[in-house]
Amino acid sequence: MGWEVRVPLRDRRGSVKRACNASKSSSGTNEFWLVRMEKPGVEVVTKAQMVDHYTQILMKVLGNEQDAQVSIYHISWERDYGFCCHIDEECAKELADVPGVLSVRPDTNFGSNNKDYKGNDGIKSSEGTGVTDIKTKRLFVTGLSFYTSEKTLRAAFEPFGELVEVKIIMDKISKRSKGYAFIEYTTEEAGGAALKAMNGQIINGWMIVVDVAKTRSRDQQSGRPNQTFRQPYHMR
């Protein structure tokens, strides 16, 4: 079932340089896109969780929450999963490569609530098979609950292989979680399996987003994430 998005989302902190631009007028290019998403790895999700999850996905290419919020104008979350957004074509191509995204195609029914999230045409991942072929030892996890501990996170990720490190990044002043973590496995196969299985899972009531971590020097040594992250909140 599709819904028009009118509810405001929660604030996040942090920002990165944009990989592309939000909607920008350009003659001859499409700006309205329908994004098909993989089904979450849990049976029961709420509309608020899915809106927040889709916003985090779009933030991976836009770089900040505000642009992602204003770009999404329709979501589907009960039977078929996906959302519609107002972005430029370059953004759409990058979005197709984000783990969890099945395809990105022009929204031919812009202005109508009648959206088709079942089709399989559109812009596909440049790798062709999406997250199934991704192999990486290091993962970047966002959307963590304020109350999620490293012990809880380790228990959730260790079934996929031997772990080298599970590190939740803490605020130096408040001593509280910043809402994101780095996870490292001994093998790339284990990391790839965890990325595929855990992206979209719910831990302590919050839906997490799992992605490939960038270089250690940029992430852990600087103490900054490789993308924006959610400020902790309680899901009502």
Side-chain angles (χ1 to χ4, degrees):
M1 178 180 294
W3 299 80
E4 288 291 338
V5 178
R6 292 289 184 270
V7 294
L9 300 182
R10 291 151 291 280
D11 289 335
R12 292 186 179 86
R13 295 174 295 173
S15 61
V16 295
K17 183 179 179 180
R18 294 185 190 181
C20 57
N21 295 315
S23 56
K24 184 179 292 186
S25 296
S26 177
S27 59
T29 60
N30 184 74
E31 297 176 351
F32 302 98
W33 302 89
L34 186 147
V35 184
R36 292 177 57 244
M37 298 290 300
E38 290 181 345
K39 181 179 179 180
V42 291
E43 291 300 322
V44 180
V45 294
T46 67
K47 179 182 178 181
Q49 286 174 323
M50 292 310 299
V51 171
D52 194 72
H53 181 60
Y54 294 156
T55 300
Q56 291 185 61
I57 292 295
L58 193 54
M59 283 169 60
K60 291 179 181 292
V61 297
L62 294 185
N64 67 76
E65 182 190 28
Q66 184 177 6
D67 282 350
Q69 286 179 351
V70 300
S71 295
I72 296 176
Y73 59 87
H74 188 274
I75 71 166
S76 179
W77 66 284
E78 289 188 314
R79 291 188 298 271
D80 303 308
Y81 298 89
F83 62 94
C84 291
C85 56
H86 188 194
I87 57 178
D88 64 26
E89 188 170 358
E90 194 62 33
C91 278
K93 291 178 180 179
E94 293 187 24
L95 185 58
D97 284 328
V98 173
V101 175
L102 296 177
S103 67
V104 180
R105 68 176 187 268
D107 178 12
T108 57
N109 287 328
F110 175 72
S112 169
N113 283 334
N114 184 23
K115 309 291 185 183
D116 179 16
Y117 289 95
K118 295 181 179 180
N120 57 9
D121 57 321
I123 301 174
K124 304 290 183 63
S125 166
S126 61
E127 297 183 1
T129 54
V131 298
T132 55
D133 288 337
I134 294 179
K135 293 185 179 181
T136 177
K137 291 182 179 181
R138 300 187 65 245
L139 302 175
F140 180 61
V141 183
T142 58
L144 291 175
S145 165
F146 177 83
Y147 298 99
T148 298
S149 66
E150 290 183 353
K151 181 179 179 180
T152 299
L153 204 57
R154 177 177 291 273
F157 280 84
E158 65 182 358
F160 303 97
E162 183 179 354
L163 290 164
V164 175
E165 181 182 41
V166 175
K167 184 176 181 62
I168 294 177
I169 305 303
M170 310 297 287
D171 185 90
K172 293 182 179 179
I173 298 177
S174 68
K175 306 300 182 182
R176 294 181 175 181
S177 167
K178 288 188 173 183
Y180 64 95
F182 295 94
I183 294 176
E184 184 172 356
Y185 286 91
T186 57
T187 67
E188 292 183 341
E189 289 75 15
L195 186 154
K196 179 182 178 183
M198 294 301 294
N199 188 39
Q201 291 284 354
I202 293 177
I203 297 180
N204 292 135
W206 292 8
M207 184 176 293
I208 64 172
V209 174
V210 183
D211 205 351
V212 176
K214 303 300 181 183
T215 60
R216 184 180 298 271
S217 60
R218 284 182 56 190
D219 296 333
Q220 290 179 311
Q221 292 180 4
S222 67
R224 298 177 181 175
N226 62 344
Q227 54 186 291
T228 53
F229 55 89
R230 179 191 321 179
Q231 183 161 350
Y233 68 96
H234 268 308
M235 179 67 69
R236 293 194 294 269

